[in-house]
Amino acid sequence: EIIKAHILYTKGLLWTMAYHPRVPEVVRKRASKLGFAKDEFLDTDHFPFQLYVREGRRMLGEFVMTENQLKGGGQVIDPVALGSYGMDSHPTQIWVDKDGALLADTPKWTGVPPYGISYKSITPKLNECANLLVPVCVSASHSSYGSIRMEPVYMMLGQAAATAAVMAINNDGVVQNVSYTKLKEQLLKDGQI
């Protein structure tokens, strides 16, 4: 049902941009020249068969990565991975102004220097859960997640989570009690950036 709703919305938006009389003619002319690729997704009516989920729910963990850390304003004390892709947020609303220009509310790409991602951003609050590591739905703000969401970062966070899990299993089983000093030492020994 969710996939069908997204397909209906997307096809409806494309049709509206190309044909609805309330859309300025200049936009309709441009949009009506677009179409689905004739040589792709042949078995799904030329429409992608899988949703691209750019961002979903994220954990609210021991530490929340924010734009401040990514811009160098508040470096983390326990980094387990490195991010460097700019903060990249897509608009949530699109409209046409009185002159026919297409506008968006918050398109944003902000470059950032390389930054560390806190171990505490992949661990839940201790009073909520003691045996979980979350390297993808990491504790991060919307802005910072626009950078953290890159696959190489997921891989580094996955390596950090796996290493921390082994350390927790070999000790008391509580990921929040893993020694950061020992975790860092092992990650560096294994080639983690």
Side-chain angles (χ1 to χ4, degrees), residues 134-159:
V134 183
V136 173
C137 297
V138 60
S139 182
S141 69
H142 168 71
S143 292
S144 68
Y145 193 77
S147 170
I148 293 170
R149 67 182 179 80
M150 297 288 113
E151 283 81 359
V153 176
Y154 287 162
M155 289 184 260
M156 286 185 274
L157 289 172
Q159 179 176 345

mmCIF file of all heavy atoms in Angstrom, residues 134-159:
data_model
loop_
_atom_site.group_PDB
_atom_site.id
_atom_site.type_symbol
_atom_site.label_atom_id
_atom_site.label_comp_id
_atom_site.label_asym_id
_atom_site.label_seq_id
_atom_site.Cartn_x
_atom_site.Cartn_y
_atom_site.Cartn_z
ATOM 1 N N VAL A 134 23.302 0.737 16.585
ATOM 2 C CA VAL A 134 22.496 1.205 15.457
ATOM 3 C C VAL A 134 23.371 2.016 14.495
ATOM 4 O O VAL A 134 23.475 3.236 14.619
ATOM 5 C CB VAL A 134 21.305 2.056 15.966
ATOM 6 C CG1 VAL A 134 20.423 2.485 14.810
ATOM 7 C CG2 VAL A 134 20.506 1.285 17.002
ATOM 8 N N PRO A 135 24.033 1.357 13.532
ATOM 9 C CA PRO A 135 24.942 2.079 12.655
ATOM 10 C C PRO A 135 24.279 2.787 11.468
ATOM 11 O O PRO A 135 24.916 3.610 10.827
ATOM 12 C CB PRO A 135 25.893 0.983 12.163
ATOM 13 C CG PRO A 135 25.085 -0.263 12.239
ATOM 14 C CD PRO A 135 24.149 -0.093 13.401
ATOM 15 N N VAL A 136 23.019 2.513 11.175
ATOM 16 C CA VAL A 136 22.360 3.150 10.026
ATOM 17 C C VAL A 136 21.336 4.190 10.472
ATOM 18 O O VAL A 136 21.378 5.332 10.035
ATOM 19 C CB VAL A 136 21.720 2.099 9.088
ATOM 20 C CG1 VAL A 136 20.901 2.768 7.993
ATOM 21 C CG2 VAL A 136 22.800 1.220 8.467
ATOM 22 N N CYS A 137 20.424 3.828 11.330
ATOM 23 C CA CYS A 137 19.425 4.773 11.839
ATOM 24 C C CYS A 137 20.014 5.503 13.041
ATOM 25 O O CYS A 137 19.410 5.639 14.096
ATOM 26 C CB CYS A 137 18.136 4.048 12.197
ATOM 27 S SG CYS A 137 17.368 3.269 10.774
ATOM 28 N N VAL A 138 21.219 5.982 12.836
ATOM 29 C CA VAL A 138 22.056 6.608 13.847
ATOM 30 C C VAL A 138 21.360 7.826 14.460
ATOM 31 O O VAL A 138 20.518 8.452 13.825
ATOM 32 C CB VAL A 138 23.407 6.984 13.183
ATOM 33 C CG1 VAL A 138 23.232 7.935 12.037
ATOM 34 C CG2 VAL A 138 24.394 7.537 14.148
ATOM 35 N N SER A 139 21.705 8.135 15.686
ATOM 36 C CA SER A 139 21.148 9.285 16.398
ATOM 37 C C SER A 139 21.734 10.562 15.797
ATOM 38 O O SER A 139 22.877 10.920 16.059
ATOM 39 C CB SER A 139 21.499 9.165 17.884
ATOM 40 O OG SER A 139 20.944 10.216 18.627
ATOM 41 N N ALA A 140 20.943 11.219 14.965
ATOM 42 C CA ALA A 140 21.428 12.388 14.233
ATOM 43 C C ALA A 140 20.264 13.296 13.868
ATOM 44 O O ALA A 140 19.147 12.824 13.641
ATOM 45 C CB ALA A 140 22.140 11.939 12.950
ATOM 46 N N SER A 141 20.541 14.571 13.771
ATOM 47 C CA SER A 141 19.534 15.534 13.323
ATOM 48 C C SER A 141 19.312 15.357 11.820
ATOM 49 O O SER A 141 20.095 14.706 11.124
ATOM 50 C CB SER A 141 20.009 16.960 13.608
ATOM 51 O OG SER A 141 21.112 17.280 12.772
ATOM 52 N N HIS A 142 18.249 15.964 11.332
ATOM 53 C CA HIS A 142 17.943 15.901 9.897
ATOM 54 C C HIS A 142 19.107 16.446 9.064
ATOM 55 O O HIS A 142 19.531 15.824 8.092
ATOM 56 C CB HIS A 142 16.658 16.692 9.614
ATOM 57 C CG HIS A 142 16.390 16.932 8.169
ATOM 58 N ND1 HIS A 142 16.013 15.908 7.319
ATOM 59 C CD2 HIS A 142 16.449 18.050 7.418
ATOM 60 C CE1 HIS A 142 15.846 16.406 6.097
ATOM 61 N NE2 HIS A 142 16.104 17.699 6.140
ATOM 62 N N SER A 143 19.636 17.596 9.452
ATOM 63 C CA SER A 143 20.732 18.206 8.684
ATOM 64 C C SER A 143 21.967 17.323 8.660
ATOM 65 O O SER A 143 22.557 17.095 7.607
ATOM 66 C CB SER A 143 21.106 19.571 9.264
ATOM 67 O OG SER A 143 20.080 20.494 9.064
ATOM 68 N N SER A 144 22.375 16.827 9.824
ATOM 69 C CA SER A 144 23.595 16.027 9.863
ATOM 70 C C SER A 144 23.399 14.682 9.172
ATOM 71 O O SER A 144 24.330 14.157 8.559
ATOM 72 C CB SER A 144 24.092 15.841 11.296
ATOM 73 O OG SER A 144 23.214 15.039 12.049
ATOM 74 N N TYR A 145 22.197 14.122 9.248
ATOM 75 C CA TYR A 145 21.964 12.836 8.600
ATOM 76 C C TYR A 145 22.098 12.952 7.077
ATOM 77 O O TYR A 145 22.441 11.981 6.412
ATOM 78 C CB TYR A 145 20.587 12.273 8.970
ATOM 79 C CG TYR A 145 20.435 10.833 8.584
ATOM 80 C CD1 TYR A 145 21.033 9.837 9.348
ATOM 81 C CD2 TYR A 145 19.727 10.447 7.459
ATOM 82 C CE1 TYR A 145 20.928 8.495 8.993
ATOM 83 C CE2 TYR A 145 19.608 9.121 7.101
ATOM 84 C CZ TYR A 145 20.210 8.153 7.877
ATOM 85 O OH TYR A 145 20.107 6.832 7.527
ATOM 86 N N GLY A 146 21.867 14.141 6.532
ATOM 87 C CA GLY A 146 22.047 14.351 5.101
ATOM 88 C C GLY A 146 23.469 14.076 4.642
ATOM 89 O O GLY A 146 23.719 13.810 3.475
ATOM 90 N N SER A 147 24.419 14.108 5.573
ATOM 91 C CA SER A 147 25.807 13.769 5.285
ATOM 92 C C SER A 147 26.149 12.354 5.735
ATOM 93 O O SER A 147 26.772 11.583 5.007
ATOM 94 C CB SER A 147 26.742 14.765 5.983
ATOM 95 O OG SER A 147 28.080 14.332 5.900
ATOM 96 N N ILE A 148 25.717 12.006 6.935
ATOM 97 C CA ILE A 148 26.066 10.711 7.524
ATOM 98 C C ILE A 148 25.516 9.547 6.703
ATOM 99 O O ILE A 148 26.086 8.457 6.695
ATOM 100 C CB ILE A 148 25.564 10.651 8.989
ATOM 101 C CG1 ILE A 148 26.348 11.658 9.839
ATOM 102 C CG2 ILE A 148 25.672 9.249 9.571
ATOM 103 C CD1 ILE A 148 25.786 11.867 11.235
ATOM 104 N N ARG A 149 24.450 9.761 5.952
ATOM 105 C CA ARG A 149 23.726 8.687 5.263
ATOM 106 C C ARG A 149 24.494 8.034 4.105
ATOM 107 O O ARG A 149 23.981 7.131 3.445
ATOM 108 C CB ARG A 149 22.404 9.228 4.717
ATOM 109 C CG ARG A 149 22.627 10.231 3.603
ATOM 110 C CD ARG A 149 21.351 10.826 3.062
ATOM 111 N NE ARG A 149 21.669 11.786 2.038
ATOM 112 C CZ ARG A 149 21.968 11.477 0.777
ATOM 113 N NH1 ARG A 149 21.965 10.223 0.383
ATOM 114 N NH2 ARG A 149 22.265 12.417 -0.091
ATOM 115 N N MET A 150 25.700 8.408 3.871
ATOM 116 C CA MET A 150 26.473 7.845 2.764
ATOM 117 C C MET A 150 26.909 6.402 3.061
ATOM 118 O O MET A 150 27.283 6.080 4.186
ATOM 119 C CB MET A 150 27.705 8.705 2.476
ATOM 120 C CG MET A 150 27.379 10.103 2.015
ATOM 121 S SD MET A 150 26.713 10.105 0.334
ATOM 122 C CE MET A 150 25.051 10.617 0.622
ATOM 123 N N GLU A 151 26.889 5.549 2.038
ATOM 124 C CA GLU A 151 27.218 4.135 2.216
ATOM 125 C C GLU A 151 28.602 3.893 2.815
ATOM 126 O O GLU A 151 28.752 3.026 3.684
ATOM 127 C CB GLU A 151 27.062 3.372 0.895
ATOM 128 C CG GLU A 151 25.620 3.078 0.521
ATOM 129 C CD GLU A 151 24.887 4.253 -0.128
ATOM 130 O OE1 GLU A 151 25.496 5.344 -0.284
ATOM 131 O OE2 GLU A 151 23.717 4.100 -0.462
ATOM 132 N N PRO A 152 29.647 4.625 2.399
ATOM 133 C CA PRO A 152 30.948 4.386 3.048
ATOM 134 C C PRO A 152 30.908 4.659 4.554
ATOM 135 O O PRO A 152 31.571 3.969 5.331
ATOM 136 C CB PRO A 152 31.897 5.360 2.331
ATOM 137 C CG PRO A 152 31.259 5.591 1.004
ATOM 138 C CD PRO A 152 29.778 5.557 1.267
ATOM 139 N N VAL A 153 30.129 5.643 4.965
ATOM 140 C CA VAL A 153 29.992 5.931 6.398
ATOM 141 C C VAL A 153 29.249 4.785 7.081
ATOM 142 O O VAL A 153 29.626 4.352 8.163
ATOM 143 C CB VAL A 153 29.270 7.280 6.625
ATOM 144 C CG1 VAL A 153 29.038 7.535 8.112
ATOM 145 C CG2 VAL A 153 30.073 8.419 6.008
ATOM 146 N N TYR A 154 28.190 4.287 6.431
ATOM 147 C CA TYR A 154 27.478 3.120 6.989
ATOM 148 C C TYR A 154 28.439 1.948 7.182
ATOM 149 O O TYR A 154 28.351 1.224 8.172
ATOM 150 C CB TYR A 154 26.358 2.666 6.055
ATOM 151 C CG TYR A 154 25.136 3.546 6.007
ATOM 152 C CD1 TYR A 154 24.252 3.429 4.940
ATOM 153 C CD2 TYR A 154 24.830 4.462 7.005
ATOM 154 C CE1 TYR A 154 23.105 4.199 4.881
ATOM 155 C CE2 TYR A 154 23.687 5.239 6.945
ATOM 156 C CZ TYR A 154 22.827 5.096 5.877
ATOM 157 O OH TYR A 154 21.694 5.854 5.803
ATOM 158 N N MET A 155 29.327 1.749 6.226
ATOM 159 C CA MET A 155 30.286 0.644 6.341
ATOM 160 C C MET A 155 31.226 0.849 7.524
ATOM 161 O O MET A 155 31.495 -0.084 8.288
ATOM 162 C CB MET A 155 31.072 0.476 5.044
ATOM 163 C CG MET A 155 30.239 -0.095 3.906
ATOM 164 S SD MET A 155 31.224 -0.391 2.437
ATOM 165 C CE MET A 155 30.822 1.044 1.473
ATOM 166 N N MET A 156 31.723 2.081 7.693
ATOM 167 C CA MET A 156 32.609 2.357 8.830
ATOM 168 C C MET A 156 31.860 2.212 10.151
ATOM 169 O O MET A 156 32.390 1.647 11.111
ATOM 170 C CB MET A 156 33.198 3.765 8.705
ATOM 171 C CG MET A 156 34.272 3.881 7.636
ATOM 172 S SD MET A 156 35.036 5.519 7.637
ATOM 173 C CE MET A 156 33.911 6.411 6.574
ATOM 174 N N LEU A 157 30.626 2.714 10.201
ATOM 175 C CA LEU A 157 29.833 2.580 11.423
ATOM 176 C C LEU A 157 29.493 1.119 11.688
ATOM 177 O O LEU A 157 29.449 0.683 12.839
ATOM 178 C CB LEU A 157 28.565 3.431 11.341
ATOM 179 C CG LEU A 157 28.783 4.945 11.416
ATOM 180 C CD1 LEU A 157 27.477 5.692 11.140
ATOM 181 C CD2 LEU A 157 29.358 5.351 12.761
ATOM 182 N N GLY A 158 29.268 0.347 10.619
ATOM 183 C CA GLY A 158 29.020 -1.086 10.780
ATOM 184 C C GLY A 158 30.229 -1.803 11.356
ATOM 185 O O GLY A 158 30.100 -2.675 12.226
ATOM 186 N N GLN A 159 31.415 -1.438 10.868
ATOM 187 C CA GLN A 159 32.640 -2.036 11.416
ATOM 188 C C GLN A 159 32.802 -1.661 12.891
ATOM 189 O O GLN A 159 33.140 -2.507 13.723
ATOM 190 C CB GLN A 159 33.864 -1.575 10.627
ATOM 191 C CG GLN A 159 35.168 -2.158 11.179
ATOM 192 C CD GLN A 159 36.382 -1.792 10.340
ATOM 193 O OE1 GLN A 159 36.263 -1.344 9.207
ATOM 194 N NE2 GLN A 159 37.559 -1.978 10.907
#
